Structures are given as structure tokens and as C-alpha cells.
Amino acid sequence: MKRFLFLTTFLALPAAYAETKLELHTGIPGGKPAVLKGKDASLQLVATAVPSDKAPFDVTRSVTWTVEPASVLTISKTGVATPLTDGTATVIATSDGTKATATINVTGAASWRTASFTHEIVPLFTKYGCNGGGCHGKSEGQNGFKLSLLGFEPGEDYEHLVFESRGRRLFPAAPENSLLMLKATGEMPHGGGARMERGTPDYLALVRWMEQGAPPGNPDDPHPVSISVFPPERLLQPESTQQLQVTAQYSDDSFRDITTSVQYDSAAKDMLEVSSTGLVKAAKLTGDAAVMIRYKEMAGVFRATIPLGAPMGEFPPERNFIDRHVFAKLRTLGLPPSAVCDDATFLRRVTLDIAGRVPTTTEAESFAADKNPDKRTALVDRLLASTDYAEYFAGKWSALLRNKRGNSPARTTYAFHGWLRESLNSNKPYDQFVREILAASGSISGNPATGWYRAVTKSQDQLQDVAQVFCGQRLQCAQCHHHPYEKWSQQDYYGFAAFFSTVARKPADEPGEEAVFNQWRDAFALNPKTQKNVKPTPLGGQVLALKPQDDPRRSLASWLTAPENPFFAKMLVNRYWKHFFGRGLVEPEDDMRVTNPATNPELMDGLAHHFTESKFNLKALVRSICLSSTYQLSSLPNEHNATDRQNFSRFFPRRLPAEVLLDAIDTVTGIPTKFAGQPAGARAVALPDDSFNAGNYFLTVFGRPDNTSACECERSQDSSLAQSLHLLNSKGLQEKLSGAEGRAAALAKDKAAPEDRIRRVFLTLNARTPTAEETKKALDYVTAREGKPAAWEDLIWALINSKEFLFNH
Amino acid sequence: MSGRLLLFLLLAPAAIAQLPTARLDGLFPQGGRIGSEVEITIEGSDLEGVKELLFDHPGLKATPVEGTKFKLTIAADVPAGLHEVRVSGRYGISTSAVFVAGKLLEAKDNGANRSRAAAMPLTLPVTVNGICEADAADFYRFTATKDQRITVDCAAQRIDSPLSAVLSLSNADGQEIAARRISMDRDPAFDFTAPAEGEYTLGIHDLTWRGGSPYHYRLTVSSPQESPALPPPLPLAAVVTPLPAKAAAEEKEPNDAATSPQNLTFPADVAGRLDEDWFSFTVDKARTVVAEVHSHRLGEDSDPVMVVHKVTREAKGEEKSSQLSEFDDTAGPAGAERFRTGTRDPSGSIACEPGVTYRIMVTDRFYSGSPYRLVLREAKPDFQVLAMPESPVTDGKTVQRWTSLLRRRGSTVINVALLRRDGFDEPVTLKVSGLPAGVSAQEITLPSTISAGVIILQSTPEVKPWAGRIQITGHAGSLTHPAREVTPRWSVGDTGAERLDMRLSTDGFVLAVTDAEAAPLAVEAPEPRVYESALAGSIELPVKFIRDASLKGFKGEWEAALSGLPGLRQRKPVKLSADAKEAKLVLDLKRKDGNEFQPGTFTCYVTARGTIKWKGDEKAKEKELVEAAWSAPIQIKIEPSPVALTVPSPAVIAPGGKAEITLKVERRFGFNEAVTVELAGPKGVTAEKLTISKDAKEAKLTISAAADAAQGTQQATLNAKCSWNGQEIPWPVKFNLEVKP
């Protein structure tokens, strides 16, 4: 602990070192002078100390600010410059003899600028939460006053504010007495309470706008086209601060400081707090955290890493790029990883994760006996080559791609599941896999990849599923209004919807089946807001020029699977990362926004690059993950990483999924579950669709999904009392334990020494041999009941109900 | 062969109530090696008393062993491939089943091979005959040397098995190295080269794990040279429009743009693969050219579409291409959908002018890349007749494999589909010949707009036993074609859920007649004449029922209904009491309940249907069976309206003048309401709307001609309208109008 205190003190005062530089950030790129235009202009400056050997840190509030000539502008202790007279001044920040300067031009200092309603007034409603979904931004408004959600329809807002109710909300002759201001300050009863104080800059900005006659603004006014946040990321010591600066670039190429106009939200309030002026305060907790910054339809993010600073000790071997990125992050955080797990744990872990089953007794014995130093690599390769891998992952994709039976004939879901299984078994490149699904035409019988179109029939669901499953973009919000946390507008939504506008169906050869095809016509979707047709447009891309006979879905598939697509590879690697670690680099794994950054962006980029470079080789991705030391870390925490969930400093145990657990119980009890219409011995993980859930309480209670959504969150991994009771004393489990053909009965009849039988029980259930203590306890128990199957039933029952069995650890 | 059948039936023991009809669903094994002897078991229903198997080749001879087992000799001269077999027993001559004469050694599924560990060993090359059981897979193992090329071919649907076979090949480590689980329209097959020397395991099961006796397969594991060359289970649409085995020309790339079409010489037959292919052709004289694509009907999961362009030259010599037509799917005849003759392949006629270039673009809506043939030929209007015996339990959902068996005073139906080709729209008369004494079938005529009908065979109470072949022929002008028999590959309980697949039987229609039992029910049609009314009117048809007193009787109610009339979509059965002897069935010609009658002369019939209690013999358990009877065809004539309006033709009028036309009004079928008429054209000739009051037998319509009305004789239409039985009936009355000074 002493060492830790010393380190933080040391880090807090690096400016004392001569090699520390001071940098002054104005938000203007290219070293050009900053501009303060108008009496109400302001500019947040950020001073940063940059030690040569340590991470940079914020010194905005500790430097000494001077201005030359002082008559041009003034600067506050918090680094905010405001104009005095027109002219050019140099701002100097000084700290321990180190200086940094910036030039600022002041123009129009004598007069107030005319505020733009759209670009300056509406963002205030967002900043103060007036137009949020819980207040006036609701579709029906609040107490008779409606604002568009998050200000995405400023024209409507202007109408409602200025003209509705005979203009009673504004009082330009005495703006302070306007209903708007009296409500906003709480001087009149207001359901939302007092949102702002008299005299604050934002209050005055509203008042001035009314004094100027509440102008609607000119459509040709320069408008903001992008925002940038400085700094975008920082290593923050616990309990330190960081001043943010947010700048908007306008359509006329000018820049304006909007630090006090944006809305800040901390994604982890227990780690980071943020003020309305952009001052971030780190708490004592360590790890990664982000502040989301929203301005009109634009969003930005500030990411902070708060290091623990624990002694690093020796790291496990760096086996590949995954370890390089993870360990680098852990070193930055000062968060030492756990050691690499033992062979038995690895065997069980990787067999469960790749093949969806527990290792067999033989596998456990032979892996333990194997002296080959590369046996872990050989194991991963063997599992990936096995059909079990394809079966397990086909189940995963079957749920995501909504292979739901419904009223369809069984052959439709069976065929699609079979196609998924074969695609995975043959390691079909992921881009080809997606292209075949997305641009699928024909009948399920002839082309089972059309199974996704069988299940997802509305173009609205098709576009939303594709955006979510393959791009990690949740577009649902943009169907009715601009996406609140992303850049997607309704235009983007319907431009994406247009890709599916020509999907048509006709009866297929098999009864109850429809064939999917592209109807020859111009592809478009109607934007209900503009009442104009939108042509197919990739997310963030340009409108495509397609001929009536072109299949827009093929164009979409080409765009989506191109190596340069910004979403495609990242979404998949994040999804697979979550499969193996229980947590995505982005969480939820399919909600990849600027404002929801990855906990380790370098790792995310590295995985995506590796995946793209491998030509979208899924098995190669799984191999890289499973062969990394990161994946092989023990789940046992050291003294520092017990609470770490997002930096992967140890393996985080997780309950076995419903099907895997059922199969595991079937294996260890020796009594397989019979599924109607499936061959004897069929594994639960290999079931082709959701229709087996209804007849199997185990699968339901442990959360097997019903394949109704494109989100993996449909699978419940929660624990419940019902689950515990089911494992403890359900009839089904008892029958498996006591079955005449079961393992317990066989063990009771077995003539081998009880120690040997106990050893085999542990190998079968936990893929390891028992400890001496475990052997003794088990021996005492079974020898007291020698020859009775119940003794072995009890032993298996007890082990099944242990966390070691129920969890992948 | 009919003599042999006749002899057998005459010798058949006196049977008890013979409601069942012999149905052969398959044999096991369903094939054998040429030049060998094999024991086979027949599978199906109502196969009691079967002593003889009737193959389509004299080299296939079976002798009874015991029960349903027979010893089959396959002579050395039996051609390899598919053969048909029927059985003859107490309940008639069965439907035909398929038997394969093979060249390789044969083996039989040992029944104990339900796991990989218990896989049955095979020595290659071999054909294994097996049956997939429900919820189970069969496994076979064989060894292969490194780089040995092996083909695996699973015949299932080709041998009338409903099995949707899934094949999976695993190596010695249990890793699946090849799988075919996606072919459901066709039988799966694959060709692989062994990556290493060792043992390989082949698994086979139904896609949805169905199984049981009809789920047969013949699995051939061999070298490519030894593979069986069974024809694919082609849809009927392909069988009825056969192509030469090899096309006259091949597609030549690049032909994927309108600017680089492949030139064809008319007539043409070109083979290609579906992407976007352009062809051009010209004709030497004015011709109607038929363009057809064959792909989906060849068993491909494709959806070809064809676009035809006409290329002309502008005055300056610039090329101008205009789209003439787009041809897509080809529907089968309306009302005969269960014959499955529709196809996603396009075909259409092009009226071609000499010296003009036409371009055809062929592409696939499914992007399947499947093979196809494009045929350009001269239009030759013609027809084909397909026919299928139908079981009494047939309804909208059920289709059974069935055969024609008549008892005394019995009736049975054969469904007919008329395939009209190249715009052939003549009426076609269907006749049945070769019938024994005491069996009759009225000829029926399908009008030009109708392509589905039924033939009803009826027997007298005094009929004598008989078995043999009968002939059904279609006649239209100078054209005469024999009908071809269609057989469902397997019976289907619900056509909404299970695929119905059809094939042709090659050995002709069979009929068996027995005098051992009377049919439980007969329907007597009303007196033969043409029964008439108009749209919105009704026709009353008195019918009589005769029941066999020896039967225990019908269970509860039974019913009778009119069927077979085109446009009659909503059958409204009349419930009959158990002892009903007669009923009056009313044919309501209103356009309601989905019924869409058209004027014309048609045929319909009366069906009676009920559940009867029946015991096979005294010791047998009583069963409830559905039984049906059909009346002889009834002629129905539907007039477009209950009013006959007569207009003098030509009516004469002078330009700029007026004229009075006298309309004669004849009301029929009890109609006595007002009628309105409005004149439509020709240009410049007008008339006020005229209402002809009820009872009026004559009316005068005043028409006016403009001074500049075109002179000469032209066709005019009086749009007449009346209301009858609450329904508006519009109809046109055409006449000639002469405008002259």
C-alpha cells in the first residue's frame, strides 16, 4: 500500500521534472489562431502536462494564465477565455517555468451575435433534458407542450415554442417573464422542476434570443457538421480531474467551442463524474470508463482509464497479438493477471466453449497423461475439426438468425440448421456465409440459406436484424426519429430499408414453403417524415445507383462484407470474444456505437484486422482466442483482480448454457434425454430449432432461447431458485441418477477398487482427478454403502450440484 | 397381359365385402442385380390373395414363397434401370411400384446399424437396400485407399420413396468430411476423393427423422464409372414436354449483355447455365415462334425468366430495342393442380416478322446457376391428356395411390388434366374404350376454356369379373391422343403439408371388375338431357340413391353434392338421412360463396359420400370406411342472361340522322323483370339509355348518328343489364350497324 501511495504522488507531480512539456489546446486544428466572435463567445482552453516518460495529465486548473495584451480578452482560472475588445492576443499558460502559448483573435466583441434557433437554442433543450423521452420529447409531449425528441425536428420545435397556444410561451418584450423562462427556472410550478438558474450563460442566451425577436434562423446559416472532443482518451489517476473541450466544426469550416452547450453522460458514474462544463473527476475505482457527449444529432466520447497501479510481477507468456493488447492494457492499468490455468481446467473450459460438451473420461485421462508441450494447441485443433464444434455453433447462429419453428413444417428449420452446421463444419468464410444468407434467393429446399427470410418476413425486421447482427448497429430508434445516441437518421433507416424493398415471395415446390426472389423494380423505401422515397444507401455511405433488375441485397452484401467495412469484422470478433470470455469488448456485444466504446480498442482493432486478414476465417479466430494466454488465465483471482470484469485479467466463470448443462448431466449420469422426433442420443446443443423447448422444462428453466430475436440476450444466463430446485430434487434428475442403465448403477456393480471408481467419477464430472481429501470423503461415504447404487447416485448428485460442475471456470 | 389378369381374377376366391383396393407401395429390397435371384417382400395395403407380380419386362419373374414374400428372378437380358410392377390379388390390380435392376452386387440393411459404432461393413462397389426407421439413422462403413475416388448415390425419391435423405460421411476420427443434407427435391449424391487411407462411415437418415416402410433407399457406393444411371425424379412438367437428350447447341460466352447476344438459327435448342444470357434470332417468314426455357422442370431449384426484345433500325440507322414481353412461370391447367404440371419455367409465343431481329434474355430469379435449355420452335397447337384414378377418400387434402376397381353396380372416377400447348383452344372430347360388358363411361367434352374433368366408370349389377387394360383417348378435330396414366409417387395425407410428387406409369390404365360384392352405394343421375338456366338462376336435379341391403349400413348421416362444374368452388353437400332413396340437388348459379360460373355447356356429376361400417370377414374387427359413389355425367348449359335480346342486324342509320331499332325481348327460366340497354359505339353513333319494362316483349331504341360519323358497316354493342335473384347481370349483345346516307 505504501508503494501505491508513493506511486500516485509521484505521478501527480511530474511537472517538477525538467523534461515535462506543457501543451495548450485550443480546439483549432493546424495551429491556426482560435477565434472568439461576438460578445457572448467563449473558449475553453485545456492545458496538458506531457512528461517524457509518463502519461500526460490535465493542468488546466493549476497553470498560471496570462494574456498579452490583456485588453483583448480575459481568461478564467478554469481556462475559459471571453472577449473584451477586438484584436489579437496571446494566451500564456505557465507552470513551474514551463510555458505554452496560443493565439486568439477577437472579433465583434461589442455586440451580441444572433443566435441560431436550430444550432444554439435547441441544443440547450437537449442539454437541460427538456426534450428527453421522459419529458416534452415524448410523442404526446408533456402537459400540452411538445418538443421533438432530442431536438431532431427544430422546425416543429420552433412552431410549438413560438406560435402554439397563441404564442403564450414567449414574451419578447420582457423575456425574463416568459412562461418558458419562469418554468425553466422553477419560478412557476414546473413538473420538471428548476432546470436552470437566472443569470447563467445559457439562461442569458435564451433571453437574448427572445430579445432579438426569437428568430427562426436562416436555413443557409452555417451548421455544425462534426464535433470533436479533447482529449479523446486519458489515463486518469484515481481522484484526479480532466477538463474536456468540445469543438464543433461548422459547414463554413469555422470552429466554435461548445464545451458548455453539450450534454455529458458518464457511462460508469461510480468511476467518473462529469460536470456540465466538461470537468471530469475520477473516483477511486479503477478500470475503464467513458463519458458520452451529445450535441444535436452528433455524438462523441471521452474514454478514461483509471489505473490501479499494483505491482506487475511476472506476466504469463505473450502467445499472440491478443495477449500483447490485453497485457499492455493490464500494464497500463497496473492490474496484474492471474496465472495460466492448469491442464484439466483448460481441457474442460475449451471443450465446453468450442464443442459445447464436457470432456469424456478418456479425454480427461489422456490429456492429463500427454507430455507433448503443444498439447493445448493440438486439443484446440482437434476440437475445431470435430463435428461437435459445428453443432454447437450452429445452435448459436440458429438462435441469432431466428430459426424458429412457428407454424412452418419441420423440414424448413431442419434444413436451415443443417446448412448452418455444414457451413461451420466446412469453415465457410464468414463473408461468404453472410452473403449467402443476405442475398439468398429460392426455396429452403433448394437453397436452405433462405431460412432467414422464412423467419424474418418484414423488411423492417430484415434491415434491423442485419444492422444489429452483422453491423452491431441498433437502428430501431431511427424508424420513428433520429437515433438518440448515434448518427443514424430516419433517412439512414429508410435508405437501409430500401435494400429489402424488392424482396418478393412465391409458392415453392414444397407445400407450406415460399421461395424468395428479387422483384424487378426500382428499390426504395418511403421516409414517412419527408414523404419522399429513399433509394438503397449503405450505413454511412452514398446512395447506390441501381437498375430495376439489380438485386439490392447483393449490393448490400458486397458493401457489408468488404474488408474495409467499418462494422462487419468488429461485430463478429466482439460476438465471438463474448462467447469465450462471457463479456464483449463492447457491451452489449451488438450495440457498437461511438458512445459505447470498446474497453480495449487496440484489441478490438487487432482482432478485426486478424479476422479480415485471415479472409474471415472463423476457426482461425477461435484458434487465436483459445490459444492466447489471456483465454487460458485461471479464474482464481489474485489480490488485485477479483473485481475486474472488463480487462480480462482472469477468466470469469459463467454458468453452463441450458443445452450444454443438460448434455453434461446426460453424459455424467449416463442417461440421455430423449427429444421427440430426434434420434436416441441426440445432443441438446444440436437441436435444430426452438420447438423442443416447450416439452423440456430443463431447457426452459435454464434459459434456452426461443429464437424470436436477433439478440443473444434472448438467452437467459440468470440463476434462479427454480434452477436450483430442479437440480436438487427434480424427478427428471432423480431418474437420470437412479436409472438402471445409468452411471451410478454401473459403478455400484463395478468390481474395481472404490478409489479407482471415485477417480473416474471425478474425471467424468470435472475432468480432473480428486484431491486426497475428496477421495477420502467420497470413499468414506461410498464404502459405508458398498454395493448400493444410491451411494454413487449421491456422489454424482453432489458433484452435479457443485459450482465446479455448473460453471465453466 | 389382360388375359393373364382376367384368368387370375376369375380364379380368385369368392371375396367378402371388397371395399378395399389393392395398393402396392413398394418392395423390399426395391432392386436386385441383373442375372440374380432375390427374395422380395411386397409392401402396401389390401394385398390379400396376391399370388402374382406383374412386371413390365418378361425377364422379371416372381414366384410366391410365403405370405408377402416372393422369389424374384432377374434375367440377364433385363435392362438396367427402373421397372414397373403391379400385383394382382383379391382386391384388384394394384397401383404400380418401381423396381430397379442394377449392375452391382447388392446388400440389405442389416437392421442393427443404428449407430456409428455398429455401422454395417460394405465391400465396394455395392448397392445397399435399406429402410430408414423413424428417429434413427443407418450407418455403413467401408475402407478406401488414399486418393481413391468414390461416389455415393442415394436413390429414394427416384424409387417412389418419400425419404428426404441426408447423407453424412465421416472419417475414422468421427469428423464429418462430406454431407448432403440440403437436397430435398432430388436425391442426394456426392463424389469424394479419400484424403487418407482408412475407414469411412456413411450415415443416412431422413431430414426430419421420419421413417418406416415407405422410407426406402438404395445406396450405391462405387467408383464414378460404376454409378447407377437412374433418371432423376423429374416433375411431370418435364415428362410431358420431353427434350432430346442433348441440345443442338451450347451457350457461348460472352453473351451476358444485350450488346453481345449469341446468334441462334431458328429453330434452336441451346443448352446453357443460368446467369444473364442474351440470344438473338431472325425468321425467314412471318411465324409464331414459341420460346421455352427448361430448367426448373428438369429438377433444378431455379426460377428462370425470359424477356423478349424486338430490334428495329431508326431512320438514321440507329438501333432501337423495345421490350415485347416478359415470360415467367407457366401454370398447369386450372382445376388440375394436383397433377403438378405447373412449372417456374417460362414459355410464350412471339409473333415474328421476317427480317427483324429478336433478342431473348434468359436469367434466373434464384441465381441458382443451374443448367437450362432454351428452345425456339414453331408453334404447333396441340394437346395431351393425363389421367389419374382417384380414391373415394380423396378430398382437398388427401391424395392416395389408387387403382380402378369396380364392384357390381359400382362407380369409380379417373381425374383428367388436359395440357393445351401453343394456344390450342379447341374443345376436346374424351372417350373410353376397351371396357368389358356391363361397364360404361360416358364421353365428356371439355370446352375450349376448360382443361380439367373427370371420367366416371360405372358397372351394372350384372357385371362379370374382368381384368385388363382400358384406353382413354382425347379427340379434337383430326387430333387424337391417348391419355397417359399419372401415379402419385407416394400417398399424401395433407397436400398442404407434404409434397405430392407425380410420375407417369408406362404400362397403361388397368381396370379390375369383380362380381363378388356389390358396391355399398350407387347414385342414379337424372334423366339424360341438357339442364339449362342462366347466370343467377338455378337448376334442380332429382337424383336417386341405391344402397346395398347386405351392408350393415351407413353410420349416421351421409351426404350428396354436385361436383365437377367449372366455377363451382363451394360445394354445398346435402345431408341425407340414413335411409334416403332420393334427393333434389339444387345448382345455384349465383356468383357468391366464391363460385364463379361462366356461360357455356359443361358436365357435372353427383357424388354421394358416407362412412360405412364394414367387417373384412366374420372374425375381423368392424371398421369404419369412407365410401363414395358417382353418378353418370350430367349436361349443364348456362346462359349469360335470362333474357334473349334480338337486334336487327345490320341496323341502318344515315349520317346526321336518327333511326329507331326494334328490339325483341324473350324472357326465360321464369324471369320477368325490367331490362336496361345502353349503346356502346361505333364512334359518332349514340342512343339514350333505354329501360325495357317488365312483361314487354318488344322495345324501341332510338339512335342518332353525327354528321361526321364514319360510314360503312361496323360492329356495335348493346350493353344489357338486368337484376335477377338479387344479382345484377350484365351481358353484351353484339350487332352490325351500317351508317350510310
Side-chain angles (χ1 to χ4, degrees), chain A residues 134 234 524 608 638 674 685 694 757:
Chain A
R234 254 314 130 80
F524 60 81
N638 55 34
K674 176 76 181 89
V685 295
R757 283 180 273 164

mmCIF file of all heavy atoms in Angstrom, chain A residues 134 234 524 608 638 674 685 694 757:
data_model
loop_
_atom_site.group_PDB
_atom_site.id
_atom_site.type_symbol
_atom_site.label_atom_id
_atom_site.label_comp_id
_atom_site.label_asym_id
_atom_site.label_seq_id
_atom_site.Cartn_x
_atom_site.Cartn_y
_atom_site.Cartn_z
ATOM 1 N N GLY A 134 -38.559 11.294 -21.521
ATOM 2 C CA GLY A 134 -39.399 11.286 -20.329
ATOM 3 C C GLY A 134 -40.134 12.602 -20.123
ATOM 4 O O GLY A 134 -40.970 12.712 -19.235
ATOM 5 N N ARG A 234 -7.743 9.396 -21.967
ATOM 6 C CA ARG A 234 -6.716 9.771 -20.990
ATOM 7 C C ARG A 234 -6.552 8.686 -19.945
ATOM 8 O O ARG A 234 -7.516 8.006 -19.591
ATOM 9 C CB ARG A 234 -7.167 11.032 -20.240
ATOM 10 C CG ARG A 234 -6.527 12.393 -20.531
ATOM 11 C CD ARG A 234 -5.064 12.378 -20.616
ATOM 12 N NE ARG A 234 -4.543 13.025 -21.808
ATOM 13 C CZ ARG A 234 -4.403 14.331 -21.982
ATOM 14 N NH1 ARG A 234 -4.759 15.176 -21.045
ATOM 15 N NH2 ARG A 234 -3.903 14.814 -23.091
ATOM 16 N N PHE A 524 -36.758 1.208 -53.303
ATOM 17 C CA PHE A 524 -36.846 2.423 -52.487
ATOM 18 C C PHE A 524 -37.707 2.139 -51.271
ATOM 19 O O PHE A 524 -38.455 1.157 -51.248
ATOM 20 C CB PHE A 524 -37.450 3.598 -53.289
ATOM 21 C CG PHE A 524 -38.839 3.333 -53.797
ATOM 22 C CD1 PHE A 524 -39.946 3.474 -52.968
ATOM 23 C CD2 PHE A 524 -39.036 2.921 -55.104
ATOM 24 C CE1 PHE A 524 -41.216 3.211 -53.445
ATOM 25 C CE2 PHE A 524 -40.309 2.646 -55.585
ATOM 26 C CZ PHE A 524 -41.400 2.792 -54.751
ATOM 27 N N ALA A 608 -10.154 -7.539 -35.263
ATOM 28 C CA ALA A 608 -10.839 -7.287 -36.533
ATOM 29 C C ALA A 608 -9.842 -7.387 -37.688
ATOM 30 O O ALA A 608 -10.134 -7.964 -38.741
ATOM 31 C CB ALA A 608 -11.510 -5.915 -36.515
ATOM 32 N N ASN A 638 -6.169 -12.978 -8.220
ATOM 33 C CA ASN A 638 -5.096 -12.636 -7.305
ATOM 34 C C ASN A 638 -5.598 -11.533 -6.383
ATOM 35 O O ASN A 638 -6.801 -11.192 -6.407
ATOM 36 C CB ASN A 638 -3.820 -12.248 -8.088
ATOM 37 C CG ASN A 638 -4.099 -11.129 -9.079
ATOM 38 O OD1 ASN A 638 -4.930 -10.262 -8.811
ATOM 39 N ND2 ASN A 638 -3.421 -11.151 -10.216
ATOM 40 N N LYS A 674 -34.379 -37.959 -24.164
ATOM 41 C CA LYS A 674 -34.947 -38.268 -25.487
ATOM 42 C C LYS A 674 -35.772 -37.066 -25.954
ATOM 43 O O LYS A 674 -36.663 -36.599 -25.254
ATOM 44 C CB LYS A 674 -35.825 -39.524 -25.384
ATOM 45 C CG LYS A 674 -36.550 -39.871 -26.682
ATOM 46 C CD LYS A 674 -35.616 -40.504 -27.711
ATOM 47 C CE LYS A 674 -36.326 -40.827 -29.027
ATOM 48 N NZ LYS A 674 -36.323 -39.742 -30.002
ATOM 49 N N VAL A 685 -27.511 -29.515 -27.622
ATOM 50 C CA VAL A 685 -26.898 -28.411 -28.359
ATOM 51 C C VAL A 685 -27.113 -28.564 -29.864
ATOM 52 O O VAL A 685 -26.977 -27.600 -30.600
ATOM 53 C CB VAL A 685 -25.376 -28.258 -28.095
ATOM 54 C CG1 VAL A 685 -25.101 -27.890 -26.668
ATOM 55 C CG2 VAL A 685 -24.608 -29.483 -28.516
ATOM 56 N N ALA A 694 -40.607 -26.305 -25.533
ATOM 57 C CA ALA A 694 -41.915 -26.431 -24.892
ATOM 58 C C ALA A 694 -42.034 -27.745 -24.129
ATOM 59 O O ALA A 694 -42.649 -27.794 -23.071
ATOM 60 C CB ALA A 694 -43.006 -26.319 -25.940
ATOM 61 N N ARG A 757 -12.900 -46.105 -8.838
ATOM 62 C CA ARG A 757 -14.203 -45.670 -9.310
ATOM 63 C C ARG A 757 -14.422 -44.194 -8.970
ATOM 64 O O ARG A 757 -14.950 -43.421 -9.783
ATOM 65 C CB ARG A 757 -15.306 -46.540 -8.695
ATOM 66 C CG ARG A 757 -15.402 -47.913 -9.369
ATOM 67 C CD ARG A 757 -16.488 -48.750 -8.763
ATOM 68 N NE ARG A 757 -16.001 -49.495 -7.601
ATOM 69 C CZ ARG A 757 -16.795 -50.073 -6.700
ATOM 70 N NH1 ARG A 757 -18.113 -49.991 -6.827
ATOM 71 N NH2 ARG A 757 -16.281 -50.731 -5.681
#
